[in-house]
Amino acid sequence: MLIIGELINGMFKNVREAILNKDKQTIIDLAIKQIEAGANALDVNVGPLSKEPVTDMEWLVNTIQEKVNTRLCLDSTKPELIEAGLKLAKNKAIINSTTADVEKLNIVVPLALRYNASLIGLALNKKGVPQDKDRRLELAAEIVGFCEAENFPIKELYLDPIVLPINVAQAQSNIIFDSIKEFKLLSDPSPNTIIGLSNSSQGAKNRRIINKTYAIMSMLSGLDAAILDPLDKDLIDLIITSEIILNKQIYCDSFLEAYRKKAG
Ligand code: THG
């Protein structure tokens, strides 16, 4: 599974302060720790409070790349921020994200093609997050159809059913697991699937056990990628072990260390 570290996000106070103070070391430490823990890519999000988001995105990307050679997942609703990151990214980037709105697809899919990036497509549009599976599938199918028409390679597309917190949307989880399975049937070759794992436990108590259980259940549905906190060592161990049990990695006695050595 593609593990994308979530911790370089201006939503977190330490990152917000590091951006304001141009404190490179905090960002570099977060980057190194996440990669050492098993992340294959790093989410980069300037956060909702950034006053100079383009400059902040450029600073984050340059700061990370000074010391760490990894894929970046450029996380913003604004295409101009994503493009600022794409221009600087040294490895194949992941655009996070487009919605199913045609106006958005018209801007973001050409960007993905021009910069040879992977693309996350969210199963939502201007009307918001659908509450049922069929509507999520319709929106996902619209994204797949648009990408096919523009010759964007479907193997570089990651469809996100949008995980909602279980404390306020408990009935949604089954819909998410079914959506993950059915998104895979939308085309041949299949699109990939991705979730923001920590969304599942936002606002809840016992967050770590919710995240872990949600991860395993999503993997059983065929999940291909997740944005998550890789510093939760038990979570990464569970993910690696699930890959072994699902026969996606070859077993060896040192499978936990062997998988981590391959990451990054
Ligand atoms: N899908 C895609 N991208 C995403 C998400 C998604 N990017 C953002 C988010 N969701 C994934 N990243 C996070 C990062 C942090 C948290 C959840 C998801 C989180 N933050 C604490 C909270 O909200 O309680 C903040 C704690 C703090 O303020 O310090 O849980 O779904 N494609």
Side-chain angles (χ1 to χ4, degrees), residues 214-240:
Y214 212 100
I216 297 178
M217 296 176 85
S218 309
M219 288 181 76
L220 193 53
S221 297
L223 188 73
D224 301 294
I227 303 168
L228 52 74
D229 176 4
L231 303 190
D232 183 343
K233 180 173 182 298
D234 292 338
L235 170 62
I236 302 297
D237 282 351
L238 283 170
I239 289 171
I240 297 169

Side-chain angles (χ1 to χ4, degrees), residues 69-262:
N69 179 20
T70 185
R71 296 185 71 184
L72 300 176
C73 177
L74 304 164
D75 189 351
S76 172
T77 54
K78 302 197 182 80
E80 61 270 28
L81 284 199
I82 289 172
E83 186 162 17
L86 287 169
K87 281 187 182 149
L88 297 169
K90 292 182 185 157
N91 294 296
K92 188 179 183 70
I94 304 160
I95 294 179
N96 187 12
S97 53
T98 182
T99 63
D101 296 300
V102 173
E103 310 88 279
K104 191 74 179 261
L105 286 161
N106 269 329
I107 299 170
V108 180
V109 174
L111 271 184
L113 283 166
R114 191 175 327 138
Y115 289 92
N116 188 29
S118 303
L119 174 64
I120 298 175
L122 308 177
L124 61 77
N125 63 9
K126 278 179 294 199
K127 293 187 192 134
V129 180
Q131 300 296 306
D132 59 289
K133 187 191 71 184
D134 287 347
R135 190 70 192 127
R136 280 185 163 91
L137 266 172
E138 267 175 51
L139 294 173
E142 284 171 23
I143 295 172
V144 170
F146 190 99
C147 288
E148 283 175 339
E150 298 300 317
N151 290 318
F152 180 79
I154 300 300
K155 68 174 185 29
E156 297 299 336
L157 178 65
Y158 290 79
L159 293 173
D160 185 335
I162 312 283
V163 168
L164 299 171
I166 61 145
N167 64 340
V168 293
Q170 205 171 348
Q172 288 286 310
S173 306
N174 280 310
I175 292 173
I176 295 295
F177 304 137
D178 290 344
S179 298
I180 291 168
K181 281 184 215 146
E182 294 184 30
F183 284 179
K184 305 287 297 177
L185 307 175
L186 284 172
S187 69
D188 183 11
S190 286
N192 302 286
T193 51
I194 185 165
I195 60 170
L197 184 65
S198 302
N199 299 11
S200 68
S201 63
Q202 266 173 324
K205 296 235 183 289
N206 301 309
R207 289 197 65 173
R208 289 191 152 208
I209 192 67
I210 295 171
N211 292 341
K212 288 185 182 76
T213 310
Y214 212 100
I216 297 178
M217 296 176 85
S218 309
M219 288 181 76
L220 193 53
S221 297
L223 188 73
D224 301 294
I227 303 168
L228 52 74
D229 176 4
L231 303 190
D232 183 343
K233 180 173 182 298
D234 292 338
L235 170 62
I236 302 297
D237 282 351
L238 283 170
I239 289 171
I240 297 169
T241 309
S242 297
E243 294 235 298
I244 298 285
I245 293 172
L246 292 168
N247 199 25
K248 291 189 172 179
Q249 299 283 337
I250 296 171
Y251 175 85
C252 66
D253 286 346
S254 60
F255 69 89
L256 290 174
E257 298 110 71
Y259 186 100
R260 281 199 170 81
K261 274 200 194 112
K262 276 200 316 190

